[in-house]
Amino acid sequence: MNNTKSHISQLKLLLSRKFSNNLRNLKINRTDLLFILLCLAIGIYLLATKPIFVTILGCATIVFLSIGYVIRTVPILEKYLGRKIRFWHIVAAIITITALLDTFTTPAQAIFLSGLESFFNNLAQQSSQAGGGSTSTLDANVVGLTFNLIRGAFLLLVAAASLFAYNQAQQGNDWRPIVTQVGLAFSIVIAIDVITFIFVGNGTGTTSAIR
C-alpha cells in the first residue's frame, strides 16, 4: 500500500516537473499563466453570453496576426527579390487578393466564415426592414467586402508565416513556434465557423441563442 502511494507521489512529482519545464521552454512564468487563465475564463464567459462578439474578436485576431507576419516577412522578401518593398506594394497585394476572392465569391464562402457573413447580411436586411426600407444601416456589399478582406488577410498570414518559417529553418532557428501560431489561426477560423453554426445556424436561421 505504501509502495503504491509512493509511486503515485513520484508520478505527480514527475508530471509537475515536466509541466514546469514546458512552461520554462515556452518562457511562461506564473504571472503569465495567471493572465492566460484569466483570459481563458473571460473568453468562456463571453462565449456563453455573447458568441458573436467572440467571433468578431477572432476575426480581428486573424487580421492582426496577418499584419504582424507580413511586417516580419518584408525584409525576407526584399532579400529574395533584391528590391525595396514599399507600403503601397503591400496594399496592392491585399487589394488584389480581396478582389480575387470577391470575384470568385462562391469558392471563398465555401471555405470559411460563410455563416457569419450570412448572419450579418441577414442583420442588414432586418435593419433595413425595421427602418421602413428607406435606409440600410449595413450594406450587404460592404459586409461581403469586409469578409473577403478577412479571408485575404488569412491567406496572407499563411503565406507570410510559411515563408518566415522556411527562412528560420534555413538559418537553423526554431520554426515550430511559427507553425504553432499558424495552427492557432486555423483553429480560430474553425472555432468561428463552429460557434456561428451552433448559435446562428447557417446565418439565416433563428438568432434566439444570441443575447
Side-chain angles (χ1 to χ4, degrees):
M1 188 70 175
N2 292 330
N3 290 335
T4 304
K5 290 182 178 179
S6 177
H7 287 312
I8 294 175
S9 299
Q10 290 177 1
L11 181 60
K12 289 181 178 179
L13 183 61
L14 180 61
L15 292 175
S16 177
R17 287 178 178 175
K18 285 185 176 180
F19 181 71
S20 299
N21 290 333
N22 289 333
L23 290 180
R24 287 196 202 97
N25 292 334
L26 294 173
K27 297 180 180 179
I28 298 176
N29 54 37
R30 290 187 176 182
T31 304
D32 295 331
L33 186 60
L34 289 174
F35 179 74
I36 292 172
L37 291 175
L38 178 62
C39 291
L40 183 62
I42 294 174
I44 293 173
Y45 171 77
L46 290 174
L47 180 61
T49 57
K50 299 184 181 298
I52 295 301
F53 175 79
V54 175
T55 60
I56 295 174
L57 185 63
C59 292
T61 302
I62 292 174
V63 173
F64 283 114
L65 276 174
S66 173
I67 293 173
Y69 268 108
V70 167
I71 293 174
R72 295 168 71 179
T73 311
V74 165
I76 302 173
L77 284 174
E78 290 178 344
K79 179 181 176 181
Y80 285 137
L81 297 176
R83 60 174 300 176
K84 190 75 173 175
I85 295 179
R86 305 294 181 184
F87 174 76
W88 65 270
H89 290 142
I90 300 175
V91 173
I94 295 174
I95 292 175
T96 301
I97 295 175
T98 305
L100 288 174
L101 289 174
D102 192 59
T103 302
F104 304 103
T105 180
T106 302
Q109 289 181 354
I111 298 174
F112 53 90
L113 302 182
S114 58
L116 191 61
E117 180 179 355
S118 299
F119 167 74
F120 277 102
N121 281 328
N122 188 43
L123 189 65
Q125 293 177 358
Q126 291 177 357
S127 299
S128 178
Q129 292 172 359
S134 57
T135 59
S136 177
T137 57
L138 199 60
D139 191 353
N141 292 326
V142 174
V143 173
L145 185 62
T146 301
F147 276 91
N148 283 330
L149 183 62
I150 296 172
R151 294 183 181 107
F154 177 74
L155 295 177
L156 276 177
L157 167 63
V158 174
S162 300
L163 180 59
F164 190 70
Y166 173 78
N167 185 72
Q168 290 291 94
Q170 290 294 313
Q171 294 179 358
N173 298 324
D174 190 7
W175 50 268
R176 287 172 294 181
I178 304 171
V179 176
T180 301
Q181 292 185 18
V182 174
L184 176 63
F186 274 100
S187 300
I188 290 173
V189 170
I190 295 173
I192 289 173
D193 282 337
V194 170
I195 292 171
T196 304
F197 178 77
I198 292 175
F199 292 95
V200 183
N202 61 358
T204 58
T206 179
T207 58
S208 58
I210 302 173
R211 300 174 187 177

